[in-house]
Amino acid sequence: MKTVLLTGGLGFIGSHIAVNLIESDYKVIIADDLSNSKIETLDKIEKITGKSPIFYQVDVCERKLLEKTFSENRIDSVVHLAGYKSVAESTQEPIKYYRNNLISTLTVLEEMQKYKIAQFVFSSSATVYGSENPVPYKEDMKIGNCTNPYGHTKLISEEIARDVAKANPYISVMMLRYFNPVGAHSSGLIGEEPQGEPSNLMPYICKVASGEYEYLSVFGNDYPTKDGTGVRDYIHVEDLAEGHVKALEYLKNNPGSHIFNLGTGQGYSVLEILEAFEKANNVKISYRIEPRRPGDLSEFYADPSKANEVLDWRAERTVEDMCRDSWNYVLTNSKTDKF
């Protein structure tokens, strides 16, 4: 049985990857400092899979602390997700993002070198494509000119990983460029639960649906899109998780550096997502049109054909599935009888 270290493995995306890895017969070790996750998620992963991952509560940036995770286990691969992820916050606190996201990547790769671990899968982002490329985004497009510090940290981390692989031919790396992960596990046990005010669309819609917020702010209705609102490529988190298993399988027989988009190839506007959520869940969502936010692009979505053909991976779940599973997670985990 192959052993995978999953950094940030109790977070929204990480917990779904953990489930998928376990169900694919991997032994999973999770390293997470619980700064944006909950320890209860560990029990939920076990409830879904029947197996509990090995867990280390550790700040991945702290090499001396992370060392214990590597020294006590025979690790075959690393899937690295640990890092801060709010685009908006990164513009307000760039030093925080550069320090955490880059040092965590460097620390993990240092330990991989020390213990001769061969496979590295990196949680990257479509933000590395910047603001100059036409849609859909393809892996061979020019990257850079990112619109925010978060995107820059992903771009620099990709470059670091590629350079490490060049210097250490036994290390193979894969950058998976995520588009917009949403949804929740079909069991309703794990899902997205941001701390504070959400910076992403779907959890904000859920908070409006639950009555926590009065309305959704829609930033801009004058973009050159089908209805004037911003268009994004939303991918179900379970589809995204399955892509990581495909990535590890591919790296076994394909050394070097690789890049793949994980997206659906379909763009949906903010108003289309609102309509789909209302239809899937029979819930009315109030919204107000607000001015555009600085740095927001009118649209971006993936060309996922490379992952479809090379990894034999494709996003199967619909936007209705995303909306239904997101709301089901809220209902399943509500602490009140309001619903």
Side-chain angles (χ1 to χ4, degrees):
M1 180 180 291
K2 294 290 186 180
T3 299
V4 179
L5 172 62
L6 181 58
T7 71
L10 292 185
F12 169 48
I13 298 172
S15 58
H16 288 82
I17 295 173
V19 166
N20 209 264
L21 286 170
I22 292 170
E23 291 178 341
S24 300
D25 294 324
Y26 285 87
K27 179 180 178 182
V28 175
I29 301 167
I30 290 175
D32 196 306
D33 67 358
L34 302 179
S35 63
N36 194 35
S37 56
K38 296 180 178 179
I39 191 63
E40 291 81 8
T41 303
L42 200 62
D43 293 332
K44 294 179 178 180
I45 292 171
E46 182 177 12
K47 189 170 183 180
I48 294 169
T49 65
K51 297 179 182 178
S52 182
I54 298 170
F55 175 67
Y56 289 83
Q57 184 174 346
V58 58
D59 182 345
V60 175
C61 293
E62 299 291 341
R63 187 174 178 185
K64 289 184 179 179
L65 300 178
L66 187 63
E67 168 76 21
K68 183 179 180 182
T69 307
F70 281 84
S71 65
E72 293 183 351
N73 301 278
R74 188 170 181 176
I75 297 168
D76 300 295
S77 309
V78 176
V79 178
H80 178 44
L81 289 91
Y84 298 140
K85 63 177 185 177
S86 170
V87 168
E89 185 184 51
S90 78
T91 63
Q92 299 162 0
E93 300 185 65
I95 291 176
K96 172 182 176 180
Y97 272 70
Y98 282 113
R99 180 180 298 279
N100 183 82
N101 291 7
L102 297 182
I103 291 178
S104 63
T105 299
L106 287 166
T107 303
V108 168
L109 288 167
E110 285 173 339
E111 290 299 298
M112 286 185 63
Q113 282 188 150
K114 180 177 179 179
Y115 287 92
K116 296 291 190 282
I117 297 168
Q119 297 176 346
F120 179 73
V121 176
F122 177 61
S123 165
S124 192
S125 167
T127 55
V128 303
Y129 289 111
S131 59
E132 296 177 346
N133 289 306
V135 291
Y137 293 156
K138 300 180 180 181
E139 292 87 347
D140 59 0
M141 284 179 167
K142 178 182 176 182
I143 57 176
N145 196 29
C146 303
T147 58
N148 54 77
Y150 165 77
H152 278 295
T153 68
K154 294 297 186 182
L155 176 66
I156 297 168
S157 291
E158 283 194 10
E159 293 171 347
I160 291 169
R162 274 193 291 269
D163 286 342
V164 169
K166 287 179 184 176
N168 302 273
Y170 66 88
I171 294 179
S172 295
V173 302
M174 181 175 291
M175 276 65 77
L176 296 179
R177 293 174 178 167
Y178 303 170
F179 280 71
N180 289 66
V182 296
H185 194 268
S186 56
S187 66
L189 289 173
I190 55 175
E192 189 167 12
E193 199 169 334
Q195 298 180 7
E197 183 175 341
S199 58
N200 296 324
L201 178 62
M202 191 65 77
Y204 210 113
I205 290 175
C206 287
K207 286 185 178 292
V208 175
S210 68
E212 186 172 342
Y213 294 148
E214 182 182 354
Y215 62 89
L216 172 75
S217 293
V218 177
F219 297 104
N221 67 341
D222 57 349
Y223 287 106
T225 60
K226 60 192 81 176
D227 58 24
T229 63
V231 170
R232 299 292 181 266
D233 187 335
Y234 297 93
I235 177 173
H236 198 293
V237 67
E238 289 195 83
D239 282 328
L240 188 77
E242 290 166 5
H244 292 72
V245 175
K246 293 287 190 179
L248 288 171
E249 292 172 350
Y250 183 78
L251 282 182
K252 291 176 185 176
N253 300 310
N254 296 276
S257 298
H258 309 277
I259 301 167
F260 290 94
N261 288 333
L262 293 185
T264 66
Q266 174 69 51
Y268 289 95
S269 73
V270 174
L271 294 184
E272 285 178 322
I273 294 294
L274 283 177
E275 182 181 354
F277 189 95
E278 291 178 334
K279 183 177 179 181
N281 299 306
N282 194 29
V283 177
K284 185 66 177 176
I285 304 297
S286 299
Y287 69 92
R288 295 181 185 176
I289 303 297
E290 306 282 0
R292 294 186 186 187
R293 293 180 299 191
D296 274 356
L297 301 177
S298 60
E299 59 181 344
F300 68 80
Y301 53 91
D303 178 343
S305 58
K306 183 180 176 184
N308 297 165
E309 296 164 8
V310 178
L311 297 182
D312 190 29
W313 170 90
R314 54 189 33 82
E316 302 285 356
R317 294 164 180 84
T318 66
V319 67
E320 288 77 16
D321 294 329
M322 302 174 204
C323 294
R324 189 180 305 109
D325 288 341
S326 295
W327 185 232
N328 180 52
Y329 176 73
V330 174
L331 297 179
T332 303
N333 293 275
S334 174
K335 295 181 175 61
T336 71
D337 59 2
K338 180 175 180 178
F339 307 114

